[in-house]
Amino acid sequence: MKEYSAILVDTSIYDNFGLKLDQGYFASLKQFKNTPIVYLVPDVIASEVTSHIEEKVKTTQSALEKALKDSEVHKCLDQESCEQIGALFANKESPIDIATSQFDAYSDLVGATRIDCNDHVSISNVLEQYFAKKPPFGKGKKKNEFPDAIILMATEAWAKANDKQVIAIAKDGDWKNYCEISENIDYSEELPEVFQLLEQNNAQYPYFKSLVKALEEEQAEDFLSEIETHLSSLLDGIAPDQMADSFQYWEADGCNGWMTDFSLTSSEITVIDVEGTSAIFEVSASIDIEVEGEFSLYAYDTIDGDHVYVGGVISVAEHTFESKLLVTVEGDLNAGIEDLCIEQVEIVNQVSSVDFGFLEPDYSE
């Protein structure tokens, strides 16, 4: 693998992982702090991510305030409790202050190097690239690519000035096109790749060697059983969005799901973080679930011009999805797999919706 000395993460990747900076992959980037590898955060990306967090906070605060008002109306809480909670809202921080504080705290956690793009690229350089239709610009309306151009051109200038090779993590074709002609920036769409930059994460610990060998030889029953227990707990009561088709107008009335099976799709593991006797690594899995969904069906009344309730239906759907799993283990990493226990499992790519197929009234009742 090519050696890199700096990491650049596009806003699209922050969004892709739900802006959860204090957990999973993003929290594990703290291991690069105080190492020769620079975690680079241009001011444009900092502003974009902060803005997206601000929108999340606004949405959450509005939902909480609405829920409180509904609780008062429907008597879910007594008057005193509503007043106490309302007092908390009255003293709440502004969304922009919360978002700024979150991103600043995260930057400190990971030891990010913040750079001002204006110090490394001029608007004339960006416009020259724009009129020449060079990446990240191209044909069509590309005004939205100006932030990307500023980020990438500033990063390239910074990298040349500091003799750095940068790996840029993004899910953006324009970033990819730019990196293909860049001397100092390479492109990747997978954030876990950056964790292979540290020598300690080359999976040289006996535990990881033993685990890979056991998985290859199908001798990792206890490990897989622990994974299954954690996944069953995580997916118990899962309620994805309900999708369906019907001749009638339908409304989703809620659903409840559970895991039925899972398997690892590969024996490969990617070590994300090692700290003392604790380690986080990534595996790939295929997960089977069943979901029981309730629906209300309505027929259109052409006379009244309204939808008339014709009955409810309960449908069970089977669904399979693939996801990366982040597995946290605790114990002596110089020992075998039987000497460590799994502390936590995180499903990276959660299932968002399930299709229940075609719905129709149950005429058997």
Side-chain angles (χ1 to χ4, degrees):
M1 183 178 181
K2 186 175 179 180
E3 291 187 2
Y4 297 99
S5 47
I7 303 163
L8 175 68
V9 182
D10 179 35
T11 306
S12 63
I13 302 299
Y14 289 91
D15 290 337
N16 191 51
F17 287 100
L19 298 168
K20 299 173 182 177
L21 304 181
D22 60 348
Q23 57 185 275
Y25 294 117
F26 277 101
S28 295
L29 286 169
K30 68 181 183 295
Q31 65 189 292
F32 292 101
K33 188 174 184 177
N34 300 322
T35 74
I37 298 172
V38 178
Y39 184 6
L40 200 62
V41 179
D43 57 347
V44 177
I45 289 179
S47 296
E48 288 178 340
V49 175
T50 301
S51 174
H52 293 185
I53 295 174
E54 179 188 6
E55 290 304 311
K56 288 272 190 182
V57 173
K58 285 181 180 178
T59 301
T60 302
Q61 287 183 342
S62 296
L64 287 172
E65 290 173 350
K66 182 180 184 301
L68 179 60
K69 291 178 181 178
D70 289 344
S71 295
E72 292 184 60
V73 172
H74 300 294
K75 310 301 181 186
C76 298
L77 296 172
D78 57 55
Q79 186 66 30
E80 183 180 355
S81 297
C82 288
E83 289 176 356
Q84 290 175 347
I85 298 173
L88 294 176
F89 282 120
N91 298 319
K92 69 179 184 293
E93 290 185 73
S94 68
I96 185 59
D97 286 344
I98 293 173
T100 301
S101 176
Q102 279 189 30
F103 195 76
D104 287 347
Y106 175 70
S107 295
D108 290 340
L109 173 69
V110 297
T113 297
R114 307 277 284 263
I115 65 167
D116 187 340
C117 290
N118 193 50
D119 292 339
H120 301 278
V121 65
S122 66
I123 189 63
S124 61
N125 295 140
V126 176
L127 288 174
E128 181 180 343
Q129 198 90 345
Y130 171 74
F131 287 117
K133 294 184 174 62
K134 293 181 179 179
F137 298 108
K139 297 180 180 179
K141 297 179 180 179
K142 287 293 180 178
K143 64 180 182 180
N144 293 334
E145 300 307 331
F146 272 94
D148 289 341
I150 293 169
I151 293 165
L152 291 166
M153 294 176 70
T155 298
E156 178 123 40
W158 174 90
K160 287 180 177 177
N162 291 276
D163 193 25
K164 300 287 187 182
Q165 285 297 126
V166 181
I167 181 166
I169 312 298
K171 289 184 181 292
D172 188 308
D174 294 310
W175 275 53
K176 183 179 181 181
N177 292 338
Y178 183 92
C179 293
E180 285 176 351
I181 60 173
S182 169
E183 295 180 359
N184 293 82
I185 311 175
D186 286 339
Y187 176 86
S188 173
E189 295 188 350
E190 300 299 329
L191 184 59
E193 283 192 15
V194 304
F195 298 105
Q196 299 176 21
L197 302 182
L198 287 183
E199 185 177 353
Q200 72 178 48
N201 282 335
N202 287 335
Q204 296 303 311
Y205 289 95
Y207 170 77
F208 298 118
K209 291 182 177 180
S210 298
L211 178 57
V212 170
K213 186 173 185 292
L215 290 172
E216 290 175 342
E217 297 177 355
E218 300 183 354
Q219 299 294 320
E221 293 87 355
D222 291 344
F223 171 80
L224 295 174
S225 178
E226 283 193 75
I227 295 287
E228 182 175 17
T229 298
H230 281 272
L231 289 178
S232 293
S233 177
L234 287 170
L235 294 169
D236 185 35
I238 186 173
D241 291 340
Q242 295 165 244
M243 309 298 292
D245 194 12
S246 179
F247 291 131
Q248 282 88 23
Y249 172 78
W250 60 267
E251 288 184 350
D253 295 330
C255 64
N256 178 67
W258 55 90
M259 188 186 80
T260 57
D261 197 10
F262 98 100
S263 62
L264 296 187
T265 57
S266 170
S267 61
E268 295 181 1
I269 64 174
T270 299
V271 182
I272 303 300
D273 193 10
V274 174
E275 188 171 353
T277 59
S278 179
I280 302 173
F281 59 91
E282 176 195 84
V283 294
S284 300
S286 176
I287 303 171
D288 298 330
I289 61 173
E290 283 188 2
V291 185
E292 182 180 85
E294 297 184 10
F295 299 84
S296 294
L297 300 179
Y298 299 84
Y300 184 69
D301 187 333
T302 56
I303 297 176
D304 294 334
D306 199 3
H307 286 92
V308 180
Y309 178 76
V310 296
V313 62
I314 297 176
S315 178
V316 177
E318 296 179 349
H319 183 78
T320 299
F321 68 101
E322 294 190 352
S323 175
K324 302 291 188 182
L325 304 180
L326 289 183
V327 182
T328 302
V329 295
E330 181 72 34
D332 184 2
L333 297 174
N334 291 309
I337 60 175
E338 66 280 354
D339 295 316
L340 284 89
C341 61
I342 296 176
E343 294 291 320
Q344 181 180 340
V345 174
E346 178 183 337
I347 301 172
V348 176
N349 313 110
Q350 285 279 6
V351 59
S352 59
S353 63
V354 169
D355 191 337
F356 286 83
F358 192 82
L359 304 176
E360 56 184 347
D362 186 357
Y363 298 109
S364 62
E365 296 183 356

